[in-house]
């Protein structure tokens, strides 16, 4: 049976796993992974494209939408974006598997490439942000 993410408790933290500071409660999350390809087609390729396997740059991106945990978190995210700070972040979210809930943690070093904030009268301020990973995204813990 496939794992289902229970979207009512996604959280983004800054710092080391287990001792980081809560930045936001996330209402929507997206993971993206892409790899540049290396074309090695030459005149002997019979007019067909040939690619070099296992090469090219791997890019991982995390996009989130949600609510800031407090005003300090808003300032931290905005400052890190404006300055281009590369920092340690992690995302914690629950998974449901056969009725059992486990927490999954994805840790990564990243630069915030995009941030947008908004809100409505008598509503909470929301934001969206895109984190561009530097290095590997690792699954740190499941409990």
């Amino acid at each position: 049976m496939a794992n289902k993410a229970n979207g009512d408790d996604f959280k983004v933290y800054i710092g080391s796993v287990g001792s980081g500071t809560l930045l936001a409660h996330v209402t929507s999350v997206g993971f993206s992974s892409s790899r540049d390809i290396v074309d090695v087609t030459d005149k002997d390729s019979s007019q067909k494209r040939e690619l070099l396997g296992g090469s090219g740059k791997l890019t991982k991106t995390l996009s989130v939408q949600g609510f800031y945990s407090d005003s300090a978190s808003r300032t931290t995210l905005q400052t890190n974006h404006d300055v281009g700070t590369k920092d340690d972040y992690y995302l914690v979210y629950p998974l449901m598997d056969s009725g059992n809930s486990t927490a999954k943690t994805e840790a990564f070093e990243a630069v915030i490439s995009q941030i947008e904030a908004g809100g409505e009268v008598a509503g909470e301020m929301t934001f969206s942000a895109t984190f561009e990973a530097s290095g590997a995204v690792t699954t740190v813990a499941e409990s």
Side-chain angles (χ1 to χ4, degrees), residues 57-110:
K57 178 178 59 179
L58 181 63
T59 303
K60 302 267 185 173
T61 302
L62 171 71
S63 299
V64 298
Q65 294 179 337
F67 303 95
Y68 298 108
S69 64
D70 56 28
S71 62
S73 296
R74 180 182 187 282
T75 300
T76 297
L77 283 166
Q78 189 66 55
T79 301
N80 282 7
H81 170 263
D82 292 349
V83 176
T85 303
K86 183 169 63 171
D87 217 330
D88 292 325
Y89 299 93
Y90 62 100
L91 173 71
V92 177
Y93 56 98
L95 292 175
M96 294 299 291
D97 185 12
S98 301
N100 298 319
S101 180
T102 60
K104 186 166 185 176
T105 302
E106 303 285 345
F108 51 95
E109 186 177 47

mmCIF file of all heavy atoms in Angstrom, residues 57-110:
data_model
loop_
_atom_site.group_PDB
_atom_site.id
_atom_site.type_symbol
_atom_site.label_atom_id
_atom_site.label_comp_id
_atom_site.label_asym_id
_atom_site.label_seq_id
_atom_site.Cartn_x
_atom_site.Cartn_y
_atom_site.Cartn_z
ATOM 1 N N LYS A 57 24.071 17.610 -14.188
ATOM 2 C CA LYS A 57 23.791 18.192 -12.875
ATOM 3 C C LYS A 57 22.384 17.817 -12.411
ATOM 4 O O LYS A 57 21.419 17.953 -13.151
ATOM 5 C CB LYS A 57 23.939 19.701 -12.968
ATOM 6 C CG LYS A 57 23.634 20.453 -11.700
ATOM 7 C CD LYS A 57 23.863 21.938 -11.868
ATOM 8 C CE LYS A 57 22.977 22.455 -12.968
ATOM 9 N NZ LYS A 57 23.076 23.864 -13.225
ATOM 10 N N LEU A 58 22.268 17.345 -11.170
ATOM 11 C CA LEU A 58 20.990 17.003 -10.554
ATOM 12 C C LEU A 58 20.516 18.209 -9.736
ATOM 13 O O LEU A 58 21.272 18.747 -8.926
ATOM 14 C CB LEU A 58 21.134 15.777 -9.657
ATOM 15 C CG LEU A 58 19.881 15.271 -8.967
ATOM 16 C CD1 LEU A 58 18.860 14.802 -10.001
ATOM 17 C CD2 LEU A 58 20.227 14.135 -8.020
ATOM 18 N N THR A 59 19.275 18.634 -9.948
ATOM 19 C CA THR A 59 18.708 19.787 -9.257
ATOM 20 C C THR A 59 17.476 19.360 -8.478
ATOM 21 O O THR A 59 16.608 18.679 -9.012
ATOM 22 C CB THR A 59 18.302 20.878 -10.284
ATOM 23 O OG1 THR A 59 19.444 21.230 -11.057
ATOM 24 C CG2 THR A 59 17.756 22.103 -9.600
ATOM 25 N N LYS A 60 17.426 19.748 -7.200
ATOM 26 C CA LYS A 60 16.271 19.445 -6.337
ATOM 27 C C LYS A 60 15.680 20.766 -5.843
ATOM 28 O O LYS A 60 16.408 21.655 -5.405
ATOM 29 C CB LYS A 60 16.682 18.615 -5.129
ATOM 30 C CG LYS A 60 17.339 17.295 -5.476
ATOM 31 C CD LYS A 60 16.331 16.205 -5.528
ATOM 32 C CE LYS A 60 17.020 14.868 -5.751
ATOM 33 N NZ LYS A 60 16.126 13.775 -5.653
ATOM 34 N N THR A 61 14.353 20.866 -5.914
ATOM 35 C CA THR A 61 13.644 22.072 -5.515
ATOM 36 C C THR A 61 12.473 21.693 -4.620
ATOM 37 O O THR A 61 11.794 20.704 -4.867
ATOM 38 C CB THR A 61 13.115 22.812 -6.764
ATOM 39 O OG1 THR A 61 14.214 23.121 -7.614
ATOM 40 C CG2 THR A 61 12.399 24.085 -6.393
ATOM 41 N N LEU A 62 12.254 22.493 -3.587
ATOM 42 C CA LEU A 62 11.109 22.333 -2.695
ATOM 43 C C LEU A 62 10.308 23.628 -2.741
ATOM 44 O O LEU A 62 10.858 24.709 -2.514
ATOM 45 C CB LEU A 62 11.576 22.069 -1.257
ATOM 46 C CG LEU A 62 10.495 22.085 -0.183
ATOM 47 C CD1 LEU A 62 9.607 20.851 -0.314
ATOM 48 C CD2 LEU A 62 11.113 22.147 1.196
ATOM 49 N N SER A 63 9.035 23.519 -3.073
ATOM 50 C CA SER A 63 8.143 24.676 -3.078
ATOM 51 C C SER A 63 7.106 24.481 -1.984
ATOM 52 O O SER A 63 6.536 23.399 -1.856
ATOM 53 C CB SER A 63 7.428 24.792 -4.424
ATOM 54 O OG SER A 63 8.370 24.962 -5.456
ATOM 55 N N VAL A 64 6.899 25.526 -1.185
ATOM 56 C CA VAL A 64 5.934 25.439 -0.092
ATOM 57 C C VAL A 64 5.020 26.656 -0.090
ATOM 58 O O VAL A 64 5.392 27.731 -0.559
ATOM 59 C CB VAL A 64 6.620 25.315 1.292
ATOM 60 C CG1 VAL A 64 7.453 24.061 1.388
ATOM 61 C CG2 VAL A 64 7.457 26.540 1.610
ATOM 62 N N GLN A 65 3.826 26.454 0.458
ATOM 63 C CA GLN A 65 2.892 27.538 0.740
ATOM 64 C C GLN A 65 2.388 27.309 2.149
ATOM 65 O O GLN A 65 2.227 26.155 2.577
ATOM 66 C CB GLN A 65 1.719 27.520 -0.225
ATOM 67 C CG GLN A 65 2.101 27.811 -1.649
ATOM 68 C CD GLN A 65 0.903 27.750 -2.589
ATOM 69 O OE1 GLN A 65 -0.096 27.116 -2.289
ATOM 70 N NE2 GLN A 65 1.029 28.409 -3.721
ATOM 71 N N GLY A 66 2.154 28.379 2.868
ATOM 72 C CA GLY A 66 1.647 28.196 4.214
ATOM 73 C C GLY A 66 1.560 29.474 5.000
ATOM 74 O O GLY A 66 1.396 30.561 4.433
ATOM 75 N N PHE A 67 1.705 29.333 6.332
ATOM 76 C CA PHE A 67 1.591 30.428 7.278
ATOM 77 C C PHE A 67 2.884 30.538 8.067
ATOM 78 O O PHE A 67 3.426 29.539 8.520
ATOM 79 C CB PHE A 67 0.441 30.178 8.270
ATOM 80 C CG PHE A 67 -0.883 29.971 7.591
ATOM 81 C CD1 PHE A 67 -1.345 28.694 7.320
ATOM 82 C CD2 PHE A 67 -1.655 31.056 7.217
ATOM 83 C CE1 PHE A 67 -2.560 28.497 6.690
ATOM 84 C CE2 PHE A 67 -2.873 30.872 6.587
ATOM 85 C CZ PHE A 67 -3.327 29.588 6.315
ATOM 86 N N TYR A 68 3.371 31.768 8.242
ATOM 87 C CA TYR A 68 4.549 31.981 9.091
ATOM 88 C C TYR A 68 4.216 31.567 10.513
ATOM 89 O O TYR A 68 3.097 31.767 10.980
ATOM 90 C CB TYR A 68 4.956 33.455 9.100
ATOM 91 C CG TYR A 68 5.357 34.006 7.761
ATOM 92 C CD1 TYR A 68 4.537 34.897 7.072
ATOM 93 C CD2 TYR A 68 6.570 33.653 7.191
ATOM 94 C CE1 TYR A 68 4.915 35.419 5.851
ATOM 95 C CE2 TYR A 68 6.955 34.164 5.963
ATOM 96 C CZ TYR A 68 6.122 35.049 5.301
ATOM 97 O OH TYR A 68 6.501 35.554 4.092
ATOM 98 N N SER A 69 5.192 31.029 11.226
ATOM 99 C CA SER A 69 4.939 30.653 12.621
ATOM 100 C C SER A 69 4.896 31.884 13.515
ATOM 101 O O SER A 69 4.204 31.897 14.528
ATOM 102 C CB SER A 69 5.972 29.645 13.117
ATOM 103 O OG SER A 69 7.257 30.225 13.128
ATOM 104 N N ASP A 70 5.629 32.945 13.153
ATOM 105 C CA ASP A 70 5.611 34.211 13.885
ATOM 106 C C ASP A 70 6.310 35.276 13.043
ATOM 107 O O ASP A 70 6.818 34.983 11.959
ATOM 108 C CB ASP A 70 6.257 34.068 15.273
ATOM 109 C CG ASP A 70 7.679 33.531 15.227
ATOM 110 O OD1 ASP A 70 8.388 33.744 14.219
ATOM 111 O OD2 ASP A 70 8.098 32.890 16.199
ATOM 112 N N SER A 71 6.361 36.518 13.541
ATOM 113 C CA SER A 71 6.962 37.602 12.760
ATOM 114 C C SER A 71 8.469 37.423 12.584
ATOM 115 O O SER A 71 9.030 37.815 11.558
ATOM 116 C CB SER A 71 6.653 38.959 13.391
ATOM 117 O OG SER A 71 7.193 39.037 14.685
ATOM 118 N N ALA A 72 9.135 36.807 13.549
ATOM 119 C CA ALA A 72 10.579 36.557 13.422
ATOM 120 C C ALA A 72 10.862 35.584 12.265
ATOM 121 O O ALA A 72 11.845 35.746 11.536
ATOM 122 C CB ALA A 72 11.142 36.009 14.726
ATOM 123 N N SER A 73 9.988 34.598 12.090
ATOM 124 C CA SER A 73 10.151 33.643 10.989
ATOM 125 C C SER A 73 9.988 34.330 9.646
ATOM 126 O O SER A 73 10.723 34.044 8.694
ATOM 127 C CB SER A 73 9.129 32.515 11.114
ATOM 128 O OG SER A 73 9.358 31.794 12.287
ATOM 129 N N ARG A 74 9.038 35.237 9.558
ATOM 130 C CA ARG A 74 8.840 36.000 8.325
ATOM 131 C C ARG A 74 10.101 36.788 7.999
ATOM 132 O O ARG A 74 10.581 36.787 6.869
ATOM 133 C CB ARG A 74 7.650 36.945 8.464
ATOM 134 C CG ARG A 74 7.400 37.755 7.214
ATOM 135 C CD ARG A 74 6.228 38.736 7.420
ATOM 136 N NE ARG A 74 5.871 39.398 6.192
ATOM 137 C CZ ARG A 74 6.537 40.421 5.663
ATOM 138 N NH1 ARG A 74 7.617 40.887 6.255
ATOM 139 N NH2 ARG A 74 6.130 40.973 4.530
ATOM 140 N N THR A 75 10.659 37.450 9.006
ATOM 141 C CA THR A 75 11.880 38.234 8.817
ATOM 142 C C THR A 75 13.044 37.344 8.392
ATOM 143 O O THR A 75 13.800 37.686 7.480
ATOM 144 C CB THR A 75 12.235 38.992 10.117
ATOM 145 O OG1 THR A 75 11.143 39.855 10.447
ATOM 146 C CG2 THR A 75 13.503 39.794 9.961
ATOM 147 N N THR A 76 13.176 36.176 9.021
ATOM 148 C CA THR A 76 14.261 35.249 8.679
ATOM 149 C C THR A 76 14.168 34.796 7.230
ATOM 150 O O THR A 76 15.156 34.837 6.490
ATOM 151 C CB THR A 76 14.232 34.010 9.610
ATOM 152 O OG1 THR A 76 14.451 34.442 10.944
ATOM 153 C CG2 THR A 76 15.289 32.995 9.218
ATOM 154 N N LEU A 77 12.982 34.349 6.809
ATOM 155 C CA LEU A 77 12.810 33.890 5.428
ATOM 156 C C LEU A 77 13.085 35.014 4.426
ATOM 157 O O LEU A 77 13.783 34.816 3.426
ATOM 158 C CB LEU A 77 11.407 33.325 5.221
ATOM 159 C CG LEU A 77 11.176 31.936 5.780
ATOM 160 C CD1 LEU A 77 9.686 31.611 5.822
ATOM 161 C CD2 LEU A 77 11.915 30.890 4.968
ATOM 162 N N GLN A 78 12.540 36.200 4.693
ATOM 163 C CA GLN A 78 12.725 37.321 3.770
ATOM 164 C C GLN A 78 14.193 37.734 3.701
ATOM 165 O O GLN A 78 14.735 37.960 2.618
ATOM 166 C CB GLN A 78 11.857 38.511 4.186
ATOM 167 C CG GLN A 78 11.847 39.632 3.152
ATOM 168 C CD GLN A 78 11.186 39.206 1.855
ATOM 169 O OE1 GLN A 78 10.052 38.757 1.853
ATOM 170 N NE2 GLN A 78 11.894 39.348 0.742
ATOM 171 N N THR A 79 14.860 37.819 4.857
ATOM 172 C CA THR A 79 16.274 38.200 4.889
ATOM 173 C C THR A 79 17.133 37.170 4.177
ATOM 174 O O THR A 79 18.012 37.526 3.379
ATOM 175 C CB THR A 79 16.750 38.386 6.343
ATOM 176 O OG1 THR A 79 15.958 39.400 6.960
ATOM 177 C CG2 THR A 79 18.219 38.763 6.401
ATOM 178 N N ASN A 80 16.895 35.878 4.437
ATOM 179 C CA ASN A 80 17.676 34.837 3.765
ATOM 180 C C ASN A 80 17.494 34.896 2.258
ATOM 181 O O ASN A 80 18.443 34.670 1.501
ATOM 182 C CB ASN A 80 17.317 33.458 4.301
ATOM 183 C CG ASN A 80 17.956 33.171 5.635
ATOM 184 O OD1 ASN A 80 18.579 34.039 6.237
ATOM 185 N ND2 ASN A 80 17.791 31.960 6.123
ATOM 186 N N HIS A 81 16.288 35.205 1.809
ATOM 187 C CA HIS A 81 16.044 35.364 0.368
ATOM 188 C C HIS A 81 16.790 36.582 -0.174
ATOM 189 O O HIS A 81 17.499 36.507 -1.173
ATOM 190 C CB HIS A 81 14.548 35.505 0.086
ATOM 191 C CG HIS A 81 14.263 35.903 -1.327
ATOM 192 N ND1 HIS A 81 14.038 37.208 -1.674
ATOM 193 C CD2 HIS A 81 14.206 35.175 -2.462
ATOM 194 C CE1 HIS A 81 13.846 37.268 -2.986
ATOM 195 N NE2 HIS A 81 13.941 36.062 -3.483
ATOM 196 N N ASP A 82 16.626 37.736 0.487
ATOM 197 C CA ASP A 82 17.202 38.982 -0.009
ATOM 198 C C ASP A 82 18.728 38.944 -0.070
ATOM 199 O O ASP A 82 19.332 39.464 -1.007
ATOM 200 C CB ASP A 82 16.758 40.162 0.866
ATOM 201 C CG ASP A 82 15.268 40.449 0.739
ATOM 202 O OD1 ASP A 82 14.603 39.886 -0.161
ATOM 203 O OD2 ASP A 82 14.760 41.232 1.575
ATOM 204 N N VAL A 83 19.349 38.305 0.927
ATOM 205 C CA VAL A 83 20.804 38.237 0.996
ATOM 206 C C VAL A 83 21.354 37.063 0.179
ATOM 207 O O VAL A 83 22.514 37.071 -0.231
ATOM 208 C CB VAL A 83 21.262 38.152 2.475
ATOM 209 C CG1 VAL A 83 22.754 37.981 2.609
ATOM 210 C CG2 VAL A 83 20.796 39.378 3.239
ATOM 211 N N GLY A 84 20.515 36.061 -0.066
ATOM 212 C CA GLY A 84 20.970 34.869 -0.785
ATOM 213 C C GLY A 84 21.686 33.881 0.120
ATOM 214 O O GLY A 84 22.536 33.111 -0.312
ATOM 215 N N THR A 85 21.307 33.879 1.394
ATOM 216 C CA THR A 85 21.932 33.007 2.388
ATOM 217 C C THR A 85 21.659 31.537 2.087
ATOM 218 O O THR A 85 20.526 31.148 1.824
ATOM 219 C CB THR A 85 21.391 33.329 3.798
ATOM 220 O OG1 THR A 85 21.620 34.708 4.073
ATOM 221 C CG2 THR A 85 22.048 32.467 4.858
ATOM 222 N N LYS A 86 22.711 30.734 2.135
ATOM 223 C CA LYS A 86 22.573 29.278 2.046
ATOM 224 C C LYS A 86 22.533 28.774 3.483
ATOM 225 O O LYS A 86 23.432 29.055 4.272
ATOM 226 C CB LYS A 86 23.739 28.668 1.276
ATOM 227 C CG LYS A 86 23.617 27.167 1.089
ATOM 228 C CD LYS A 86 24.634 26.616 0.105
ATOM 229 C CE LYS A 86 26.048 26.809 0.553
ATOM 230 N NZ LYS A 86 27.028 26.096 -0.286
ATOM 231 N N ASP A 87 21.460 28.049 3.832
ATOM 232 C CA ASP A 87 21.278 27.625 5.216
ATOM 233 C C ASP A 87 20.722 26.208 5.252
ATOM 234 O O ASP A 87 20.309 25.664 4.228
ATOM 235 C CB ASP A 87 20.323 28.575 5.934
ATOM 236 C CG ASP A 87 20.705 28.837 7.385
ATOM 237 O OD1 ASP A 87 21.298 27.921 8.015
ATOM 238 O OD2 ASP A 87 20.433 29.929 7.891
ATOM 239 N N ASP A 88 20.716 25.616 6.450
ATOM 240 C CA ASP A 88 20.153 24.279 6.651
ATOM 241 C C ASP A 88 18.668 24.411 6.967
ATOM 242 O O ASP A 88 18.280 25.207 7.828
ATOM 243 C CB ASP A 88 20.845 23.558 7.810
ATOM 244 C CG ASP A 88 22.290 23.222 7.505
ATOM 245 O OD1 ASP A 88 22.581 22.916 6.336
ATOM 246 O OD2 ASP A 88 23.116 23.279 8.425
ATOM 247 N N TYR A 89 17.857 23.618 6.262
ATOM 248 C CA TYR A 89 16.415 23.584 6.475
ATOM 249 C C TYR A 89 15.974 22.136 6.573
ATOM 250 O O TYR A 89 16.684 21.229 6.119
ATOM 251 C CB TYR A 89 15.656 24.233 5.300
ATOM 252 C CG TYR A 89 15.991 25.680 5.076
ATOM 253 C CD1 TYR A 89 16.991 26.061 4.187
ATOM 254 C CD2 TYR A 89 15.292 26.676 5.753
ATOM 255 C CE1 TYR A 89 17.290 27.395 3.982
ATOM 256 C CE2 TYR A 89 15.587 28.010 5.549
ATOM 257 C CZ TYR A 89 16.587 28.365 4.656
ATOM 258 O OH TYR A 89 16.890 29.687 4.451
ATOM 259 N N TYR A 90 14.797 21.914 7.132
ATOM 260 C CA TYR A 90 14.193 20.592 7.053
ATOM 261 C C TYR A 90 12.688 20.701 7.098
ATOM 262 O O TYR A 90 12.119 21.626 7.657
ATOM 263 C CB TYR A 90 14.748 19.624 8.095
ATOM 264 C CG TYR A 90 14.558 19.962 9.550
ATOM 265 C CD1 TYR A 90 13.544 19.361 10.296
ATOM 266 C CD2 TYR A 90 15.422 20.829 10.208
ATOM 267 C CE1 TYR A 90 13.397 19.635 11.646
ATOM 268 C CE2 TYR A 90 15.286 21.113 11.551
ATOM 269 C CZ TYR A 90 14.271 20.509 12.266
ATOM 270 O OH TYR A 90 14.120 20.771 13.598
ATOM 271 N N LEU A 91 12.069 19.749 6.421
ATOM 272 C CA LEU A 91 10.618 19.660 6.321
ATOM 273 C C LEU A 91 10.196 18.403 7.062
ATOM 274 O O LEU A 91 10.742 17.328 6.820
ATOM 275 C CB LEU A 91 10.202 19.567 4.851
ATOM 276 C CG LEU A 91 8.730 19.291 4.569
ATOM 277 C CD1 LEU A 91 7.887 20.516 4.916
ATOM 278 C CD2 LEU A 91 8.531 18.923 3.107
ATOM 279 N N VAL A 92 9.230 18.542 7.957
ATOM 280 C CA VAL A 92 8.684 17.398 8.696
ATOM 281 C C VAL A 92 7.220 17.252 8.302
ATOM 282 O O VAL A 92 6.479 18.228 8.287
ATOM 283 C CB VAL A 92 8.787 17.609 10.225
ATOM 284 C CG1 VAL A 92 8.157 16.445 10.977
ATOM 285 C CG2 VAL A 92 10.236 17.789 10.638
ATOM 286 N N TYR A 93 6.848 16.019 7.944
ATOM 287 C CA TYR A 93 5.448 15.776 7.604
ATOM 288 C C TYR A 93 5.075 14.349 7.961
ATOM 289 O O TYR A 93 5.899 13.444 7.931
ATOM 290 C CB TYR A 93 5.156 16.074 6.133
ATOM 291 C CG TYR A 93 6.008 15.341 5.143
ATOM 292 C CD1 TYR A 93 5.550 14.192 4.519
ATOM 293 C CD2 TYR A 93 7.267 15.814 4.805
ATOM 294 C CE1 TYR A 93 6.323 13.522 3.586
ATOM 295 C CE2 TYR A 93 8.044 15.160 3.875
ATOM 296 C CZ TYR A 93 7.572 14.023 3.265
ATOM 297 O OH TYR A 93 8.346 13.364 2.347
ATOM 298 N N PRO A 94 3.793 14.160 8.323
ATOM 299 C CA PRO A 94 3.325 12.825 8.695
ATOM 300 C C PRO A 94 2.936 12.018 7.463
ATOM 301 O O PRO A 94 2.490 12.567 6.460
ATOM 302 C CB PRO A 94 2.103 13.111 9.568
ATOM 303 C CG PRO A 94 1.592 14.414 9.067
ATOM 304 C CD PRO A 94 2.788 15.184 8.578
ATOM 305 N N LEU A 95 3.127 10.709 7.540
ATOM 306 C CA LEU A 95 2.677 9.780 6.507
ATOM 307 C C LEU A 95 1.703 8.804 7.136
ATOM 308 O O LEU A 95 1.902 8.363 8.263
ATOM 309 C CB LEU A 95 3.855 8.996 5.921
ATOM 310 C CG LEU A 95 4.869 9.768 5.102
ATOM 311 C CD1 LEU A 95 6.015 8.855 4.705
ATOM 312 C CD2 LEU A 95 4.224 10.360 3.865
ATOM 313 N N MET A 96 0.684 8.467 6.398
ATOM 314 C CA MET A 96 -0.272 7.454 6.858
ATOM 315 C C MET A 96 -0.033 6.191 6.043
ATOM 316 O O MET A 96 -0.044 6.226 4.816
ATOM 317 C CB MET A 96 -1.710 7.917 6.661
ATOM 318 C CG MET A 96 -2.104 9.107 7.520
ATOM 319 S SD MET A 96 -1.993 8.803 9.282
ATOM 320 C CE MET A 96 -3.315 7.645 9.508
ATOM 321 N N ASP A 97 0.215 5.088 6.709
ATOM 322 C CA ASP A 97 0.438 3.808 6.043
ATOM 323 C C ASP A 97 -0.344 2.751 6.813
ATOM 324 O O ASP A 97 -0.025 2.461 7.962
ATOM 325 C CB ASP A 97 1.925 3.475 6.013
ATOM 326 C CG ASP A 97 2.233 2.216 5.240
ATOM 327 O OD1 ASP A 97 1.347 1.701 4.530
ATOM 328 O OD2 ASP A 97 3.371 1.734 5.343
ATOM 329 N N SER A 98 -1.363 2.202 6.196
ATOM 330 C CA SER A 98 -2.207 1.186 6.832
ATOM 331 C C SER A 98 -2.753 1.658 8.173
ATOM 332 O O SER A 98 -2.792 0.903 9.145
ATOM 333 C CB SER A 98 -1.417 -0.119 7.013
ATOM 334 O OG SER A 98 -0.962 -0.588 5.777
ATOM 335 N N GLY A 99 -3.106 2.939 8.244
ATOM 336 C CA GLY A 99 -3.692 3.472 9.468
ATOM 337 C C GLY A 99 -2.689 3.924 10.502
ATOM 338 O O GLY A 99 -3.065 4.477 11.527
ATOM 339 N N ASN A 100 -1.393 3.693 10.280
ATOM 340 C CA ASN A 100 -0.362 4.116 11.227
ATOM 341 C C ASN A 100 0.291 5.397 10.730
ATOM 342 O O ASN A 100 0.631 5.524 9.556
ATOM 343 C CB ASN A 100 0.709 3.035 11.382
ATOM 344 C CG ASN A 100 0.138 1.753 11.944
ATOM 345 O OD1 ASN A 100 -0.694 1.785 12.845
ATOM 346 N ND2 ASN A 100 0.558 0.627 11.399
ATOM 347 N N SER A 101 0.492 6.336 11.613
ATOM 348 C CA SER A 101 1.111 7.603 11.257
ATOM 349 C C SER A 101 2.581 7.596 11.672
ATOM 350 O O SER A 101 2.915 7.234 12.799
ATOM 351 C CB SER A 101 0.386 8.758 11.950
ATOM 352 O OG SER A 101 0.992 9.972 11.600
ATOM 353 N N THR A 102 3.450 7.987 10.749
ATOM 354 C CA THR A 102 4.867 8.141 11.043
ATOM 355 C C THR A 102 5.303 9.507 10.537
ATOM 356 O O THR A 102 4.739 10.033 9.590
ATOM 357 C CB THR A 102 5.729 7.054 10.360
ATOM 358 O OG1 THR A 102 5.542 7.140 8.941
ATOM 359 C CG2 THR A 102 5.376 5.671 10.846
ATOM 360 N N ALA A 103 6.302 10.086 11.170
ATOM 361 C CA ALA A 103 6.821 11.380 10.732
ATOM 362 C C ALA A 103 8.007 11.161 9.798
ATOM 363 O O ALA A 103 8.877 10.345 10.078
ATOM 364 C CB ALA A 103 7.251 12.207 11.934
ATOM 365 N N LYS A 104 8.022 11.893 8.700
ATOM 366 C CA LYS A 104 9.132 11.836 7.762
ATOM 367 C C LYS A 104 9.820 13.192 7.775
ATOM 368 O O LYS A 104 9.155 14.232 7.807
ATOM 369 C CB LYS A 104 8.632 11.505 6.363
ATOM 370 C CG LYS A 104 9.749 11.298 5.373
ATOM 371 C CD LYS A 104 9.257 10.650 4.102
ATOM 372 C CE LYS A 104 10.433 10.358 3.194
ATOM 373 N NZ LYS A 104 10.033 9.649 1.997
ATOM 374 N N THR A 105 11.142 13.185 7.750
ATOM 375 C CA THR A 105 11.921 14.418 7.769
ATOM 376 C C THR A 105 12.855 14.447 6.577
ATOM 377 O O THR A 105 13.623 13.509 6.368
ATOM 378 C CB THR A 105 12.750 14.520 9.071
ATOM 379 O OG1 THR A 105 11.856 14.468 10.176
ATOM 380 C CG2 THR A 105 13.543 15.803 9.123
ATOM 381 N N GLU A 106 12.753 15.501 5.790
ATOM 382 C CA GLU A 106 13.640 15.725 4.646
ATOM 383 C C GLU A 106 14.530 16.906 5.003
ATOM 384 O O GLU A 106 14.040 18.007 5.264
ATOM 385 C CB GLU A 106 12.838 16.055 3.382
ATOM 386 C CG GLU A 106 11.826 15.010 2.990
ATOM 387 C CD GLU A 106 12.446 13.772 2.361
ATOM 388 O OE1 GLU A 106 13.625 13.817 1.955
ATOM 389 O OE2 GLU A 106 11.738 12.759 2.275
ATOM 390 N N ALA A 107 15.848 16.692 5.046
ATOM 391 C CA ALA A 107 16.795 17.744 5.412
ATOM 392 C C ALA A 107 17.608 18.144 4.186
ATOM 393 O O ALA A 107 17.953 17.307 3.355
ATOM 394 C CB ALA A 107 17.730 17.243 6.512
ATOM 395 N N PHE A 108 17.928 19.449 4.114
ATOM 396 C CA PHE A 108 18.646 19.947 2.952
ATOM 397 C C PHE A 108 19.267 21.300 3.263
ATOM 398 O O PHE A 108 18.791 22.043 4.118
ATOM 399 C CB PHE A 108 17.701 20.077 1.750
ATOM 400 C CG PHE A 108 16.438 20.837 2.047
ATOM 401 C CD1 PHE A 108 16.344 22.188 1.783
ATOM 402 C CD2 PHE A 108 15.347 20.196 2.618
ATOM 403 C CE1 PHE A 108 15.186 22.896 2.072
ATOM 404 C CE2 PHE A 108 14.184 20.892 2.911
ATOM 405 C CZ PHE A 108 14.105 22.249 2.630
ATOM 406 N N GLU A 109 20.342 21.609 2.561
ATOM 407 C CA GLU A 109 20.924 22.932 2.586
ATOM 408 C C GLU A 109 20.380 23.629 1.344
ATOM 409 O O GLU A 109 20.325 23.019 0.268
ATOM 410 C CB GLU A 109 22.447 22.833 2.535
ATOM 411 C CG GLU A 109 23.152 24.153 2.695
ATOM 412 C CD GLU A 109 24.656 23.988 2.711
ATOM 413 O OE1 GLU A 109 25.192 23.269 1.850
ATOM 414 O OE2 GLU A 109 25.288 24.600 3.572
ATOM 415 N N ALA A 110 19.946 24.884 1.478
ATOM 416 C CA ALA A 110 19.298 25.526 0.340
ATOM 417 C C ALA A 110 19.428 27.040 0.370
ATOM 418 O O ALA A 110 19.733 27.643 1.396
ATOM 419 C CB ALA A 110 17.809 25.161 0.313
#
